[in-house]
Amino acid sequence: MTELVPIPTAASDLPSLIDRAASMLAGAKTAAEVLEAREFAGLAYDAAKRASRLHRAKSAHDILIVAAHRAQADALEIEAAAKRRLADEYDAAQERGELAAIGTNQHRHEGVVVSNTLGLRRDQIHEARRLRDAEAADPGIVRRTLDAKLARGEEPTRSAVRRAAEDRLQRSLDRLQ
């Protein structure tokens, strides 16, 4: 009992810990060696229990990440729908003369709402229109893009939706030429 037993730290060594405890017990000739085998078996048990807890925590973490990604995808789909509707509303307001067209002398249009008062920038309107046009050209492109990201275990992002819309519109332009 004077010899110290090295303690493996990796969870992948659990089978060797158990084998070692079993061989220590099988080779025990004194009560002290039996006690040492019992302590080593207890160590193996504790290591296995810790590994199990860690695995459950990691699984729970993974489940939470997947759920968060699904929530992000759902929120992005709603955001994309809102952008498409915004593009429709913006264009309709321009057609009705309620909103000055970008590029016109907006200071001369009395009684007309200027885009800056709506809190929208040109690039936001442009992106909303591109998203609307891409969805019209290929219905469901936003959801499919988000679902593909989720299937690969990746985080769904606005840039992925934007790239998918741009790629779709570029394919449409290429076909027209």
Side-chain angles (χ1 to χ4, degrees):
M1 187 143 159
T2 58
E3 180 183 330
L4 293 176
V5 179
I7 300 171
T9 57
S12 61
D13 290 339
L14 282 174
S16 63
L17 277 175
I18 293 167
D19 289 344
R20 175 76 189 249
S23 66
M24 287 173 72
L25 182 60
K29 296 190 184 355
T30 65
E33 290 174 342
V34 171
L35 285 174
E36 185 180 22
R38 187 192 73 173
E39 290 299 315
F40 204 81
L43 174 71
Y45 171 81
D46 291 342
K49 194 165 187 162
R50 283 191 183 110
S52 174
R53 279 190 208 127
L54 242 118
H55 179 70
R56 279 195 311 266
K58 185 183 179 327
S59 294
H61 174 265
D62 292 346
I63 290 168
L64 286 175
I65 293 294
V66 168
H69 284 176
R70 272 195 210 109
Q72 279 178 279
D74 293 343
L76 284 171
E77 185 177 24
I78 293 166
E79 183 179 77
K83 286 179 181 179
R84 291 191 311 268
R85 181 149 178 216
L86 174 68
D88 290 340
E89 295 291 333
Y90 195 90
D91 290 348
Q94 279 184 332
E95 287 177 21
R96 291 188 305 265
E98 298 171 359
L99 196 62
I102 292 177
T104 61
N105 187 350
Q106 296 177 351
H107 297 292
R108 291 192 183 175
H109 294 304
E110 298 208 4
V112 174
V113 177
V114 179
S115 60
N116 289 345
T117 62
L118 294 177
L120 299 172
R121 297 185 317 266
R122 287 180 181 194
D123 63 316
Q124 291 172 319
I125 299 298
H126 180 71
E127 181 185 345
R129 286 175 175 152
R130 289 179 68 82
L131 196 56
R132 175 197 59 198
D133 296 345
E135 189 71 25
D138 188 2
I141 189 169
V142 170
R143 189 72 240 184
R144 285 193 311 275
T145 299
L146 296 171
D147 287 343
K149 292 288 263 183
L150 291 174
R152 291 190 302 268
E154 298 173 1
E155 179 180 11
T157 60
R158 286 183 180 110
S159 61
V161 172
R162 190 178 315 113
R163 273 193 306 274
E166 289 170 0
D167 291 348
R168 179 61 181 104
L169 291 175
Q170 188 59 48
R171 286 193 310 270
S172 294
L173 286 174
D174 291 345
R175 260 199 325 262
L176 290 174
Q177 295 172 351

